[in-house]
Amino acid sequence: MVPDVSTGSDTRGLISYLFGPGRRDEHTEPHIVAAWDLAGAPDPGRDRSATYTQLAKRLDHHVDLRTRELGGKKPPKHVWHCPVRTAPGDRYLTDTEWAEVARRVVDATGIAPEGDEKACRWIAVRHAEDHIHILATTARADGRRPRTNRDGWRAQKECRKIEAEFRLRRLKSGDLTAPRTPTGAERAKAERQGQDVTAREWLREHAYAVAASVRSIDEYFTVLGSLGIQVKPRISAKTGEVDGYSLAAPGDTIWYGGSKLAPDLSYNRLRERLPTQEVADRPQPVADPADSWRRTESAVHTARTVLDAGDDAVAQGHLEAFGDTLHNLARATPGPHQEQLQAAAQAFNRARRSAIRADHQAASELRQAAKELAHAPNLPGGLAIAVVFAALHLARAAAKWHEQRGHEQQAAAAEEAFRHLQQGYRQAAEPVLADLARRAPRPQTVKRFETAVRQAVPDHADRILTDPTWPALTTTLARAETAGHRPRHLLAEVAAHRELDTAERPAEVLNWRITAQPNKRAEAARTRSTRSTMPIAQAPQSAPTAVSERPAARGRRR
């Protein structure tokens, strides 16, 4: 059961909508199911002699009194509106049951506390099987305004109780950090245009993807504009500097403020995460392209340990940085699995937000690695899969972290991201693991590696050697040995990076951790070659588009 509180100033207009046919003729038999006083509330849906004006006047009675007291000034946003909808698949509720829902919601939100004779006037209108609309005018009979602070949260809390008592589908409790859902008008517009998502949702996903890849707030605006998205900065009248912004889809006239797309897309929240232009303009050293992937894999692994033992603010900072990492990982790993990685990034957008204030500084290593990944060349193969493998384990850890703190919506979103990452990983990894297994070294070498396993990780040796991915691990060990690593020491080192007790396939875990290790011989050669030369630097390149869609056309958003 989903409540959605909003406020406005047009009592008559909202009444006309509630009792009208709807914007797409979807309203059927509109009528009042509950009110502050059923005898005193004209019902235009059931009483032919009643009019919208009569009902509006009865509702606005105390507002009019308050207006006269204020010398002709109407209270701002005096119309309180709360649709309450059952979840898809829920049973049919009778008018009597909906009336009880309405009374409990206005009581819980402070609009009309039970037994309060001076409470606000309100009605609950039903014009469809699955929802009602509660309308109230927020002026009490004693001239005071109702105490409606945190009314949306209180409405949600009451709906969770109603779901249990009415045996309805139990939805996840929120914490007021969810983005705004598209309105009926936005959905209808998308449908008319042949779009699968609304402009609000389309802009939100593009804003997240761009914010994940850029190095400054200025670059954020530039890249959005290069995609054909209209950008309108807001200039402060006091300081003359930018203090906000709005976006509109290409060719559209409807603008959305950053905070209206999602709480963490507001200008202030973005500035907390993005460095200053001065920092962004510093030259970036040239390095082995694979180094960015290795740093990302290592930083993702570190973030997982932070969730297990870190401070909540530090953990929240890593979750937000991980959200950026997923967007850049999806962009940087083309292939049949890319769609699943993109879906994981979009799902995790909900898991990255909570009421806990993030310590962004503590997550600078992961955030920097994510930025590097956005600018790194595509690197198909084992190292990229190792990053995906680390990411799916962090997504599962994030789900548990949120669950332990009662963040139900975030936990569900992290689980969804985990499932997408798992599917993407399988699509990418299975052919690679099969190829590694076909290239297994000679039996004598395999026997030597078996001995190294028993010496390095004796407690898990039997499980590793019977793991179906053991043949693939032997090939990876052979390649690591060629690259300058000693198998026994390498196995002990990577085994210490993550406990293997909970790993279903410990050999698979070791395989990807070893894949992410640098080539020692290549590193030594680079070190020798740079001792007599100056470091080469390059200016940072423009941020990648971060999305596959062409700049000037939205097309069909699927």
Side-chain angles (χ1 to χ4, degrees):
M1 183 169 283
V2 182
D4 185 14
V5 174
S6 62
T7 57
S9 303
D10 187 359
T11 311
R12 170 68 187 271
L14 182 53
I15 291 174
S16 298
Y17 168 74
L18 297 181
F19 287 94
R23 295 186 177 92
R24 291 177 291 170
D25 300 318
E26 70 274 20
H27 295 176
T28 57
E29 197 188 350
H31 58 281
I32 294 176
V33 295
W36 86 95
D37 177 9
L38 281 174
D43 188 351
R46 292 286 174 84
D47 183 357
R48 292 185 178 180
S49 64
T51 67
Y52 299 159
T53 301
Q54 288 175 328
L55 180 57
K57 284 184 176 180
R58 291 289 290 144
L59 281 168
D60 270 345
H61 174 65
H62 295 309
V63 176
D64 293 337
L65 291 177
R66 182 65 170 155
T67 299
R68 288 193 291 273
E69 291 173 359
L70 295 173
K73 289 186 178 180
K74 233 175 193 180
K77 301 288 186 180
H78 67 280
V79 179
W80 187 89
H81 180 211
C82 180
V84 184
R85 187 182 301 271
T86 53
D90 271 341
R91 66 176 178 85
Y92 175 89
L93 297 187
T94 66
D95 280 1
T96 301
E97 289 174 315
W98 275 121
E100 181 181 345
V101 170
R103 284 191 289 269
R104 291 178 61 169
V105 169
V106 296
D107 174 43
T109 56
I111 291 294
E114 186 176 359
D116 187 346
E117 296 180 357
K118 299 184 182 297
C120 301
R121 293 190 170 185
W122 61 275
I123 59 171
V125 178
R126 182 177 192 176
H127 55 208
E129 288 189 354
D130 64 346
H131 71 277
I132 60 171
H133 289 257
I134 305 173
L135 181 159
T137 49
T138 55
R140 295 167 46 85
D142 54 15
R144 295 186 292 110
R145 299 295 294 273
R147 295 180 179 177
T148 57
N149 58 305
R150 304 192 74 190
D151 48 0
W153 175 81
R154 289 191 280 171
Q156 281 196 24
K157 188 176 180 181
E158 188 63 27
C159 283
R160 299 294 83 78
K161 297 178 183 177
I162 294 171
E163 288 166 353
E165 295 173 24
F166 283 30
R167 297 182 180 179
L168 302 174
R169 178 182 168 191
R170 302 293 298 277
L171 300 183
K172 308 297 182 184
S173 297
D175 58 2
L176 303 182
T177 61
R180 294 192 178 188
T181 57
T183 65
E186 291 171 350
R187 288 191 292 268
K189 181 178 178 179
E191 186 177 322
R192 289 195 305 271
Q193 295 176 339
Q195 310 292 350
D196 293 332
V197 296
T198 64
R200 181 192 295 271
E201 295 168 311
W202 185 83
L203 287 168
R204 179 187 301 143
E205 295 307 325
H206 279 63
Y208 269 124
V210 171
S213 65
V214 299
R215 296 191 177 103
S216 73
I217 195 74
D218 295 332
E219 193 179 4
Y220 172 70
F221 292 145
T222 300
V223 176
L224 286 172
S226 74
L227 297 174
I229 294 173
Q230 303 176 77
V231 181
K232 184 193 296 181
R234 187 182 68 223
I235 307 299
S236 170
K238 293 182 178 179
T239 65
E241 297 179 351
V242 176
D243 66 353
Y245 72 100
S246 298
L247 303 180
D252 206 343
T253 58
I254 307 300
W255 294 84
Y256 299 90
S259 62
K260 304 302 181 186
L261 295 176
D264 53 344
L265 290 176
S266 71
Y267 184 79
N268 288 335
R269 295 293 296 276
L270 284 174
R271 283 191 63 85
E272 291 176 3
R273 291 153 44 196
L274 294 173
T276 64
Q277 188 65 48
E278 180 184 351
V279 172
D281 287 341
R282 291 176 184 170
Q284 304 296 316
V286 173
D288 180 356
D291 285 347
S292 296
W293 291 85
R294 293 192 182 98
R295 278 193 289 270
T296 301
E297 193 273 348
S298 177
V300 169
H301 172 75
T302 300
R304 187 169 178 270
T305 63
V306 167
L307 295 188
D308 293 335
D311 172 85
D312 277 2
V314 173
Q316 181 63 43
H318 280 80
L319 291 180
E320 293 196 23
F322 180 53
D324 288 351
T325 305
L326 289 179
H327 281 285
N328 294 338
L329 178 60
R331 178 195 166 275
T333 51
H337 58 284
Q338 188 175 46
E339 185 176 347
Q340 290 294 337
L341 299 187
Q342 290 171 340
Q346 292 176 7
F348 201 82
N349 284 340
R350 181 67 189 99
R352 67 189 289 167
R353 294 187 305 271
S354 78
I356 298 171
R357 194 70 171 178
D359 182 348
H360 296 295
Q361 186 62 35
S364 58
E365 180 183 356
L366 178 57
R367 191 172 301 283
Q368 179 60 32
K371 302 297 181 189
E372 290 180 6
L373 196 62
H375 298 262
N378 294 332
L379 190 65
L383 188 50
I385 297 171
V387 177
V388 176
F389 187 70
L392 75 88
H393 286 287
L394 179 53
R396 170 53 65 85
K400 293 181 179 179
W401 186 85
H402 280 305
E403 184 180 0
Q404 291 168 354
R405 286 153 184 79
H407 305 164
E408 296 182 0
Q409 292 183 5
Q410 291 90 336
E415 276 291 343
E416 182 183 352
F418 167 78
R419 290 192 294 270
H420 285 299
L421 285 168
Q422 193 173 46
Q423 292 181 40
Y425 165 73
R426 287 171 179 164
Q427 291 174 353
E430 286 177 359
V432 174
L433 289 172
D435 183 64
L436 288 172
R438 285 194 297 270
R439 298 171 182 271
R442 295 179 302 172
Q444 299 93 317
T445 304
V446 172
K447 190 70 176 176
R448 183 161 54 83
F449 289 158
E450 288 179 2
T451 302
V453 167
R454 294 194 180 280
Q455 292 174 341
V457 278
D459 294 341
H460 302 285
D462 289 339
R463 292 176 59 230
I464 294 170
L465 298 177
T466 56
D467 187 326
T469 56
W470 164 245
L473 177 57
T474 62
T475 302
T476 300
L477 283 169
R479 291 177 175 177
E481 191 172 43
T482 302
H485 292 279
R486 288 184 289 179
R488 181 167 65 86
H489 291 173
L490 181 60
L491 283 165
E493 179 184 346
V494 299
H497 289 172
R498 181 204 158 180
E499 53 83 21
L500 298 175
D501 293 326
T502 59
E504 295 180 8
R505 292 187 173 186
E508 192 171 9
V509 173
L510 294 174
N511 179 79
W512 299 122
R513 288 297 294 154
I514 291 172
T515 300
Q517 299 302 303
N519 185 313
K520 281 197 170 185
R521 296 190 191 281
E523 278 194 335
R526 281 200 303 271
T527 300
R528 288 194 298 270
S529 67
T530 56
R531 281 176 180 169
S532 59
T533 61
M534 295 294 292
I536 301 174
Q538 67 176 6
Q541 301 297 312
S542 298
T545 57
V547 286
S548 59
E549 197 155 342
R550 291 185 179 276
R554 286 164 65 192
R556 288 186 64 85
R557 298 188 292 271
R558 294 193 181 278

